[in-house]
Amino acid sequence: MKLKLTPILVFAVLVAATPALALLSPRETGEHLETLPSTTIGKTDEKKDALITVYDEGAKEALTLTEREYLIGAVVTEMPALYEVEALKAQAVAARSYALFVKELREKEPLPELKGGIFSVNTKAHTGYVPEAEARNIYGKNFSLYYDKIADAVDEVLEYAVTVDGKPICACYHAISTGQTEASENVFASALSYLVPVDSSFDEAAPGYLSTVVFSPSELNTLLTLNVEDFSLSGEPETWFGETKYSPSGNVTSVILGDRVFSGTEIRTLLNLRSAAFTVNYADSVFTFTVRGYGHGVGMSQNGANELAKRGESFKDILCYYYTGAAVEKY
């Protein structure tokens, strides 16, 4: 089916990428990975001088940054500064690993619209990366405390990457899982051995784990009609939704709506739901979507990373837990 939208979560070549947590409150992590960004990481003799080029959608220009600059600005946008230090380290290594993974793809298949970048960020919307000056605005009077905490965490892990067979992985991450992370093929269509379901049941106690969204029949029909080509709903609203199938991790894999079959990811995008782990109930003339978790659910749960850090696990332990069979090593 054709959506009148940018294509949803597509793995480039092997996989499409990932959502992120916002500064001090949960938000989807790694979601800017939904379409593989454009960043260029150049290696020099000293890793501290390695460069990354990203395309800033807000400023409409390419930004060439040192790896350190990029990672600090990425962690600012991807994880709350109040999280445990080991969780911040895990986030930095995951972000670097993802960038290295995408860099290799972009070297083989550059995207002209990214103007030399490996992926896109938006400094105005605070997604993917922000410069230090913008971090000052975000953190306000707490800037020194929060920014220095993140910078110190990045400095401790700057040379590390998550690898499989000696190569950086597509280190997807998200804010809060359903209680179990998702297999990559259920979201991105491609199966990767290190992106398989793992228990993350502590996410069920996270703030924001459950959310609800309510639509009247006319609101729902209007949203879908505007965004899905040659589609509209008719008949009694209680008949609109048909069979819904779920993955073992609880995300919708397919749902019949009207005369079409949608993926859970498509419905999530169309209706701006926090995840594809939803149920729908029609009562009192409204549709109520009850949603669990936040993000696509693949790879590292950021809330889960923080919980593991609270339990004394190191950044290496956290990354090896969420990326099955992977190693964390200097690269």
Side-chain angles (χ1 to χ4, degrees), residues 86-125:
E86 292 302 307
L88 295 172
K89 291 179 186 177
Q91 179 61 59
V93 176
R96 180 170 186 263
S97 304
Y98 179 77
L100 291 168
F101 173 86
V102 179
K103 171 189 176 279
E104 185 175 345
L105 296 182
R106 288 291 172 261
E107 287 175 343
K108 297 175 182 176
E109 193 175 339
L111 296 180
E113 62 268 29
L114 295 175
K115 298 182 180 179
I118 60 173
F119 50 73
S120 61
V121 300
N122 192 319
T123 57
K124 292 183 178 179

Side-chain angles (χ1 to χ4, degrees), residues 19-94:
L21 282 171
L23 313 166
L24 299 177
S25 60
R27 182 198 115 187
E28 280 204 288
T29 47
E31 260 333 64
H32 62 285
L33 305 182
E34 290 184 356
T35 49
L36 285 174
S38 312
T39 315
T40 322
I41 302 178
K43 287 190 177 179
T44 65
D45 291 337
E46 297 185 34
K47 290 182 185 293
K48 67 179 182 180
D49 296 325
L51 300 177
I52 292 179
T53 300
V54 296
Y55 180 70
D56 183 359
E57 293 181 344
K60 304 299 181 186
E61 63 180 4
L63 305 175
T64 298
L65 313 163
T66 66
E67 254 187 48
R68 182 177 186 271
E69 287 176 319
Y70 166 69
L71 290 175
I72 293 172
V75 176
V76 167
T77 67
E78 298 294 353
M79 185 171 273
L82 291 178
Y83 270 21
E84 299 290 318
V85 171
E86 292 302 307
L88 295 172
K89 291 179 186 177
Q91 179 61 59
V93 176

